[in-house]
Amino acid sequence: MSPSFTPPATGREWHLVARPHGRPRPDDFALREVPVPAVGPGQVLIRNHFFSVDPYMRGRMGDTNSYVYFPPMALGEAMGGAAVGEVIACADPALAVGDLVLHFGGWREYAVLPATEATRVDTPGIPLSAHLGVLGMTGLSAYAGLFEVADFRPGDAVFVSGAAGAVGSQVGQMARLAGASRVIGSAGTPEKVKYLVEELGFDAAFNYKDGPVLEQLRAAAPHGIDVYFDTVGGDHLEAAIDVLHEHGRVTLCGAIAQYNDVEPPPGPRNLPVAIGKRLHLHGMLVLDHEKLRPRFTTEVAGWIAAGELTWRETVVDGIEHGVDAFLGLFRGDNTGKMIVALRP
Ligand code: NAP
């Protein structure tokens, strides 16, 4: 966008208007047209190109949900979250019109923010949207969850659930690149299973809808696993506990199978097995691992440049489809990172 671009007086943004009970519904949200505020000293006006929809946002929609690890989103305000866009007006010397920036202004066409809340992104040869996925929060979650939280060691056999998703697809590839003895993934469609084995180099993968996870995991990992990277919870976590070796390590990253539960589900029925096996079960939050970001960015950009690590995005076109993109995460609509693209 050229510096002479004149922003419109109004822009559209998604608001949460009701706290979902169970699976969110389209009428829990409203797309509203609001005035674009004037840019004050120290602020920038950003025109978003892409925004991210993420499973963790479900936790922020409840007011008492136990999965909330950020403050709940306010009703009647723009949905927060990561977005990338272009500075189109600037009243701060740290940024300039034309800069491409990452920020957390969320599901909206335009955002006016303090310049300190926008980070310039400049990775030649890598598309802007990658800063929401492979080089963004989900990529860092995979990297930190595997190398720091699970304390990955070469030779480990690694199982990751949600393996065709944004985090899972990176976990499996990173484990392979770092010398895993076997990488196993689970996903929810035959196409995703094929993608894992044929394109991402997983040693084995299965469709968790085809039969009990425990049976399928045992068949895919006949010699057991050392690391389980959990994005799903429920039956996947229970199966992994049974198949892990003694002193096995689990990264508890997500539990998407449970995010819409109205009643707390029963915990893994075999949790006492973790005692005898001396398992390490570690909850993780990516926010705790910011210090890894420079190493993560350098290493992942290097793998991408060498053609050793790939990623996919499922791009939903148009802000008006933002809620449907979010709801699609719970239907398994996405392969790789789910992203909403905004038309200029
Ligand atoms: P994602 O995997 O790209 O998208 C969600 C996927 O979950 C869907 O595509 C779907 O794939 C699968 N899914 C949906 N409902 C399911 C169910 N009932 N059972 C099994 N799988 C189901 O999302 P992501 O951004 O990479 O996040 C993955 C997980 O990591 C989420 O649980 C998220 O909350 C968590 N996370 C945590 C952190 C942290 O800091 N702790 C950071 C990032 C992400 P299928 O077709 O395979 O079912």
Side-chain angles (χ1 to χ4, degrees):
M1 189 62 61
S2 78
S4 60
F5 175 79
T6 308
T10 61
R12 291 174 296 169
E13 56 187 40
W14 279 104
H15 290 190
L16 183 69
V17 294
R19 300 214 177 274
H21 186 68
R23 187 175 281 233
R25 298 180 322 185
D27 55 9
D28 294 327
F29 307 86
L31 185 61
R32 290 185 171 153
E33 182 133 8
V34 299
V36 175
V39 178
Q43 291 185 323
V44 286
L45 169 61
I46 300 157
R47 182 176 73 76
N48 277 338
H49 292 204
F50 302 96
F51 67 77
S52 179
V53 291
D54 296 275
Y56 81 86
M57 293 171 174
R58 174 63 186 89
R60 295 194 64 196
M61 292 172 188
D63 45 7
T64 57
N65 191 314
S66 59
Y67 303 133
V68 173
Y69 40 75
F70 292 120
M73 292 186 191
L75 293 181
E77 289 183 11
M79 290 281 304
V84 282
E86 180 175 359
V87 174
I88 56 171
C90 185
D92 189 278
L95 291 172
V97 168
D99 281 350
L100 298 173
V101 292
L102 169 70
H103 65 93
F104 293 89
W107 301 13
R108 53 170 83 179
E109 290 175 306
Y110 298 96
V112 173
L113 298 170
T116 50
E117 293 179 16
T119 306
R120 192 186 292 111
V121 288
D122 181 19
T123 323
I126 293 183
L128 184 59
S129 56
H131 294 279
L132 300 178
V134 64
L135 280 175
M137 185 275 284
T138 55
L140 181 60
S141 302
Y143 190 86
L146 182 67
F147 296 119
E148 195 152 273
V149 182
D151 189 22
F152 174 86
R153 300 153 201 175
D156 279 346
V158 176
F159 169 47
V160 56
S161 54
V167 175
S169 59
Q170 299 308 311
V171 170
Q173 292 183 86
M174 289 174 184
R176 174 177 53 73
L177 287 164
S181 59
R182 189 166 177 80
V183 179
I184 301 132
S186 65
T189 67
E191 295 75 23
K192 290 183 182 183
V193 167
K194 193 163 177 250
Y195 167 62
L196 295 177
V197 175
E198 295 185 3
E199 289 188 42
L200 300 188
F202 281 55
D203 297 289
F206 61 87
N207 181 346
Y208 66 86
K209 294 174 183 167
D210 280 351
V213 175
L214 179 57
E215 280 174 24
Q216 297 200 75
L217 179 58
R218 280 203 172 120
H223 304 295
I225 57 174
D226 302 290
V227 168
Y228 171 48
F229 195 109
D230 192 18
T231 71
V232 165
D235 53 357
H236 279 78
L237 177 57
E238 204 167 276
I241 287 172
D242 273 354
V243 175
L244 276 155
H245 295 144
E246 286 189 356
H247 304 286
R249 289 150 276 139
V250 178
T251 295
L252 299 170
C253 177
I256 194 167
Q258 301 173 206
Y259 289 171
N260 292 319
D261 284 351
V262 174
E263 294 297 329
R269 292 166 301 177
N270 57 352
L271 196 56
V273 172
I275 301 167
K277 287 189 178 179
R278 283 87 88 204
L279 299 182
H280 301 254
L281 305 168
H282 290 273
M284 78 159 282
L285 280 185
V286 64
L287 299 175
D288 295 339
H289 300 275
E290 267 306 314
K291 65 183 181 309
L292 277 182
R293 190 175 286 277
R295 198 176 97 199
F296 153 76
T297 306
T298 304
E299 198 158 10
V300 170
W303 282 329
I304 292 171
E308 293 176 323
L309 184 137
T310 65
W311 75 95
R312 277 202 201 173
E313 293 169 350
T314 299
V315 180
V316 172
D317 195 27
I319 191 170
E320 59 277 20
H321 301 300
V323 165
D324 195 47
F326 171 70
L327 299 178
L329 293 166
F330 299 94
R331 297 187 297 255
D333 288 356
N334 60 307
T335 300
K337 183 77 189 84
M338 183 73 102
I339 286 170
V340 178
L342 305 181
R343 287 178 229 108

